[in-house]
Amino acid sequence: MSKTPSQQDNEILPFFEGLKKFKRFRLLEPSVGVLGFFFVTVCVICCFFYLDYRAAAKGFLFSTQSERFMWFRFGGPGEDRRVEFLTEQGDGCDVFDGGWEWDESYPLYQSKNCSFMDGGFRCSENGRPDIFYTKWRWQPKYCNLPRFNATMMLERLRNKRLAFVGDSIGRNQWESLLCMLSSVIPNKNSIYEVNGSPITKHKGFLVFKFKDFNCTVEYYRAPFLVLQSRPPAGALRKIRTTLKLDQMDWSSIKWGDADVLVFNTGHWWNYEKTVRGGCYFQLGNEVKMDMKVEDAYHRSIETVVDYIHTKINPNKTQVFFRTYAPVHFRGGSWKTGGTCHMETLPELGSSLVPPDNWSQFKTVMDVLSARTNRSEVLKLDLLNVTEMSSRRKDGHSSRYYLPDLAPLHRQDCSHWCLPGVPDAWNELLYALFLKHADARPSNSSSRTES
């Protein structure tokens, strides 16, 4: 039975009314509601990636454990192909070739629980809001480092002396090791400075004794490693001091027979801290008025290596030379308002460290290469932290080296927060220390309990 025109109109009418209502939504026209919804959605996604950046970071060569961000992973050997560094299979592993991995089990200690730390390194206690910088672990590409075991290291140091010799970055590392070792000592009063001196920035030296193990962990301030002294008689008035490039620092008489030595230098080898301040370079009795800082630094490293080869007994003393730890000032230098306080993550790609930082590293390598080319056996282990530290622009004290926030133009992008990057240097020191100790006969020399 056919429908009448009036019946058809009645059926079509609801369709057009529905179409009119649908058009009122104006889906293709911008509106505050649509834009707001879009903005909120983008914010939620960005927050998701920010809050879960740890998983993303794990994919950037730092780790192979992330499931959610597996597509970020760049080549490299998997964990199942890595050998253990302390085993025979790990003998050829370059522990300095690797990347930073996020590790929830870090840090190894808390600054508030360590009384053997200068206030300038207590970034968290001084107000730094993030703790991301404490969560990164150094992972070599082709082997696994041993987990740091403070008790084992103290046992290996029993009746021995470990001494750091160098500048304030060396003190940074020394205090890191004090905190790492003291974390397993219940009675903190059994750890003390033998002369009663406090932890502070001052000239001279500090010797902390772990009474239960009859061992000492020492620091000697020698920013140039070679001797800084008065100018020779008859020198020009503008010469206030000289660096005797062919003589070791006076403190060598105190640390020369230590069982473990860790040298570092570099941060004071610049024009501002030498020639501009009236400190010139001396060889023998002659002041080299025209000698460049770079050439003087090269000559000083030769003196250090000569000293190690001629004065240090390799059967007793294990020697490490830690390479230059880069600074990360942006927009200026330490004296012209350079900053680093906005950095919260490591470099995921290549380092942005200025070229002059690498010149320090190259000088050391040139001196050591010249020795090996002459078929000399190097009597030291290189603690090569330059490249690994160059990626850690996030790890510096920045504005958090004072109890009150430091001014924007007075930031410290040279020293490192603790816990932080120097702990990784000490983990490498620990691994190489154990490797060396296991590779040679036990040393019978020990000190009398005192």
Side-chain angles (χ1 to χ4, degrees), residues 274-293:
T274 55
V275 178
R276 173 169 286 182
C279 179
Y280 289 81
F281 310 114
Q282 181 176 344
L283 284 172
N285 294 322
E286 182 182 358
V287 180
K288 304 290 185 178
M289 300 298 296
D290 298 324
M291 179 177 276
K292 295 181 180 179
V293 176

mmCIF file of all heavy atoms in Angstrom, residues 274-293:
data_model
loop_
_atom_site.group_PDB
_atom_site.id
_atom_site.type_symbol
_atom_site.label_atom_id
_atom_site.label_comp_id
_atom_site.label_asym_id
_atom_site.label_seq_id
_atom_site.Cartn_x
_atom_site.Cartn_y
_atom_site.Cartn_z
ATOM 1 N N THR A 274 96.757 31.808 37.290
ATOM 2 C CA THR A 274 98.219 31.758 37.257
ATOM 3 C C THR A 274 98.775 33.141 36.926
ATOM 4 O O THR A 274 98.950 33.971 37.801
ATOM 5 C CB THR A 274 98.720 30.689 36.252
ATOM 6 O OG1 THR A 274 98.144 30.940 34.952
ATOM 7 C CG2 THR A 274 98.341 29.294 36.703
ATOM 8 N N VAL A 275 99.012 33.406 35.663
ATOM 9 C CA VAL A 275 99.713 34.627 35.242
ATOM 10 C C VAL A 275 98.985 35.895 35.668
ATOM 11 O O VAL A 275 99.604 36.852 36.147
ATOM 12 C CB VAL A 275 99.943 34.613 33.717
ATOM 13 C CG1 VAL A 275 100.620 35.912 33.272
ATOM 14 C CG2 VAL A 275 100.799 33.408 33.325
ATOM 15 N N ARG A 276 97.675 35.937 35.490
ATOM 16 C CA ARG A 276 96.941 37.146 35.862
ATOM 17 C C ARG A 276 97.106 37.465 37.348
ATOM 18 O O ARG A 276 97.126 38.635 37.746
ATOM 19 C CB ARG A 276 95.464 37.000 35.516
ATOM 20 C CG ARG A 276 94.602 38.158 36.017
ATOM 21 C CD ARG A 276 93.213 38.122 35.429
ATOM 22 N NE ARG A 276 93.224 38.539 34.032
ATOM 23 C CZ ARG A 276 92.126 38.642 33.278
ATOM 24 N NH1 ARG A 276 90.950 38.330 33.795
ATOM 25 N NH2 ARG A 276 92.209 39.035 32.024
ATOM 26 N N GLY A 277 97.225 36.458 38.170
ATOM 27 C CA GLY A 277 97.403 36.669 39.602
ATOM 28 C C GLY A 277 98.851 36.794 40.027
ATOM 29 O O GLY A 277 99.154 36.768 41.225
ATOM 30 N N GLY A 278 99.756 36.892 39.059
ATOM 31 C CA GLY A 278 101.174 37.057 39.388
ATOM 32 C C GLY A 278 101.903 35.756 39.630
ATOM 33 O O GLY A 278 103.014 35.767 40.177
ATOM 34 N N CYS A 279 101.319 34.638 39.232
ATOM 35 C CA CYS A 279 101.958 33.330 39.397
ATOM 36 C C CYS A 279 102.539 32.887 38.054
ATOM 37 O O CYS A 279 101.795 32.581 37.116
ATOM 38 C CB CYS A 279 100.953 32.300 39.915
ATOM 39 S SG CYS A 279 101.629 30.644 40.135
ATOM 40 N N TYR A 280 103.882 32.866 37.974
ATOM 41 C CA TYR A 280 104.567 32.516 36.733
ATOM 42 C C TYR A 280 105.209 31.132 36.866
ATOM 43 O O TYR A 280 105.161 30.507 37.932
ATOM 44 C CB TYR A 280 105.605 33.584 36.380
ATOM 45 C CG TYR A 280 104.982 34.885 35.917
ATOM 46 C CD1 TYR A 280 104.505 35.815 36.843
ATOM 47 C CD2 TYR A 280 104.859 35.180 34.565
ATOM 48 C CE1 TYR A 280 103.921 37.014 36.421
ATOM 49 C CE2 TYR A 280 104.270 36.366 34.134
ATOM 50 C CZ TYR A 280 103.811 37.274 35.063
ATOM 51 O OH TYR A 280 103.226 38.437 34.651
ATOM 52 N N PHE A 281 105.819 30.695 35.781
ATOM 53 C CA PHE A 281 106.325 29.321 35.712
ATOM 54 C C PHE A 281 107.846 29.317 35.775
ATOM 55 O O PHE A 281 108.521 30.132 35.138
ATOM 56 C CB PHE A 281 105.824 28.660 34.437
ATOM 57 C CG PHE A 281 104.341 28.809 34.243
ATOM 58 C CD1 PHE A 281 103.830 29.557 33.190
ATOM 59 C CD2 PHE A 281 103.453 28.243 35.147
ATOM 60 C CE1 PHE A 281 102.467 29.720 33.016
ATOM 61 C CE2 PHE A 281 102.086 28.405 34.989
ATOM 62 C CZ PHE A 281 101.585 29.150 33.918
ATOM 63 N N GLN A 282 108.365 28.347 36.533
ATOM 64 C CA GLN A 282 109.801 28.295 36.791
ATOM 65 C C GLN A 282 110.347 26.906 36.492
ATOM 66 O O GLN A 282 109.753 25.892 36.861
ATOM 67 C CB GLN A 282 110.075 28.671 38.253
ATOM 68 C CG GLN A 282 111.544 28.682 38.635
ATOM 69 C CD GLN A 282 111.756 29.153 40.066
ATOM 70 O OE1 GLN A 282 110.872 29.739 40.693
ATOM 71 N NE2 GLN A 282 112.949 28.897 40.609
ATOM 72 N N LEU A 283 111.512 26.868 35.824
ATOM 73 C CA LEU A 283 112.259 25.640 35.599
ATOM 74 C C LEU A 283 113.672 25.864 36.117
ATOM 75 O O LEU A 283 114.368 26.793 35.672
ATOM 76 C CB LEU A 283 112.296 25.286 34.109
ATOM 77 C CG LEU A 283 111.013 24.688 33.518
ATOM 78 C CD1 LEU A 283 111.118 24.575 32.005
ATOM 79 C CD2 LEU A 283 110.738 23.314 34.131
ATOM 80 N N GLY A 284 114.095 25.054 37.071
ATOM 81 C CA GLY A 284 115.371 25.297 37.707
ATOM 82 C C GLY A 284 115.302 26.625 38.448
ATOM 83 O O GLY A 284 114.385 26.876 39.225
ATOM 84 N N ASN A 285 116.261 27.496 38.181
ATOM 85 C CA ASN A 285 116.270 28.821 38.805
ATOM 86 C C ASN A 285 115.711 29.908 37.887
ATOM 87 O O ASN A 285 115.721 31.088 38.247
ATOM 88 C CB ASN A 285 117.698 29.194 39.217
ATOM 89 C CG ASN A 285 118.229 28.297 40.327
ATOM 90 O OD1 ASN A 285 117.477 27.922 41.225
ATOM 91 N ND2 ASN A 285 119.509 27.949 40.241
ATOM 92 N N GLU A 286 115.251 29.512 36.723
ATOM 93 C CA GLU A 286 114.802 30.489 35.728
ATOM 94 C C GLU A 286 113.280 30.577 35.670
ATOM 95 O O GLU A 286 112.591 29.564 35.544
ATOM 96 C CB GLU A 286 115.357 30.118 34.348
ATOM 97 C CG GLU A 286 114.982 31.118 33.266
ATOM 98 C CD GLU A 286 115.489 30.710 31.891
ATOM 99 O OE1 GLU A 286 116.166 29.658 31.805
ATOM 100 O OE2 GLU A 286 115.202 31.417 30.915
ATOM 101 N N VAL A 287 112.764 31.799 35.748
ATOM 102 C CA VAL A 287 111.331 32.040 35.576
ATOM 103 C C VAL A 287 111.057 32.243 34.095
ATOM 104 O O VAL A 287 111.654 33.121 33.454
ATOM 105 C CB VAL A 287 110.878 33.275 36.380
ATOM 106 C CG1 VAL A 287 109.380 33.507 36.177
ATOM 107 C CG2 VAL A 287 111.180 33.091 37.858
ATOM 108 N N LYS A 288 110.166 31.430 33.547
ATOM 109 C CA LYS A 288 109.827 31.486 32.129
ATOM 110 C C LYS A 288 108.674 32.481 31.926
ATOM 111 O O LYS A 288 107.500 32.113 31.949
ATOM 112 C CB LYS A 288 109.429 30.100 31.627
ATOM 113 C CG LYS A 288 110.475 29.027 31.848
ATOM 114 C CD LYS A 288 111.688 29.245 30.945
ATOM 115 C CE LYS A 288 112.690 28.114 31.050
ATOM 116 N NZ LYS A 288 113.849 28.289 30.149
ATOM 117 N N MET A 289 109.039 33.732 31.716
ATOM 118 C CA MET A 289 108.036 34.789 31.650
ATOM 119 C C MET A 289 107.076 34.634 30.474
ATOM 120 O O MET A 289 105.927 35.063 30.544
ATOM 121 C CB MET A 289 108.729 36.149 31.568
ATOM 122 C CG MET A 289 109.619 36.477 32.751
ATOM 123 S SD MET A 289 108.699 36.562 34.310
ATOM 124 C CE MET A 289 107.631 37.962 33.992
ATOM 125 N N ASP A 290 107.534 34.015 29.404
ATOM 126 C CA ASP A 290 106.711 33.911 28.190
ATOM 127 C C ASP A 290 106.078 32.534 28.005
ATOM 128 O O ASP A 290 105.455 32.281 26.977
ATOM 129 C CB ASP A 290 107.564 34.242 26.957
ATOM 130 C CG ASP A 290 108.097 35.676 26.986
ATOM 131 O OD1 ASP A 290 107.351 36.553 27.476
ATOM 132 O OD2 ASP A 290 109.244 35.897 26.543
ATOM 133 N N MET A 291 106.243 31.668 28.970
ATOM 134 C CA MET A 291 105.682 30.324 28.819
ATOM 135 C C MET A 291 104.168 30.354 28.900
ATOM 136 O O MET A 291 103.585 31.002 29.767
ATOM 137 C CB MET A 291 106.245 29.385 29.896
ATOM 138 C CG MET A 291 105.687 27.962 29.822
ATOM 139 S SD MET A 291 106.422 26.822 31.039
ATOM 140 C CE MET A 291 107.924 26.332 30.167
ATOM 141 N N LYS A 292 103.512 29.660 27.980
ATOM 142 C CA LYS A 292 102.050 29.582 27.963
ATOM 143 C C LYS A 292 101.568 28.595 29.027
ATOM 144 O O LYS A 292 102.282 27.651 29.382
ATOM 145 C CB LYS A 292 101.567 29.144 26.589
ATOM 146 C CG LYS A 292 101.869 30.135 25.471
ATOM 147 C CD LYS A 292 101.336 29.620 24.144
ATOM 148 C CE LYS A 292 101.627 30.612 23.028
ATOM 149 N NZ LYS A 292 101.130 30.107 21.715
ATOM 150 N N VAL A 293 100.345 28.819 29.474
ATOM 151 C CA VAL A 293 99.767 27.949 30.504
ATOM 152 C C VAL A 293 99.703 26.511 30.002
ATOM 153 O O VAL A 293 100.006 25.568 30.745
ATOM 154 C CB VAL A 293 98.363 28.446 30.907
ATOM 155 C CG1 VAL A 293 97.725 27.482 31.907
ATOM 156 C CG2 VAL A 293 98.438 29.846 31.504
#
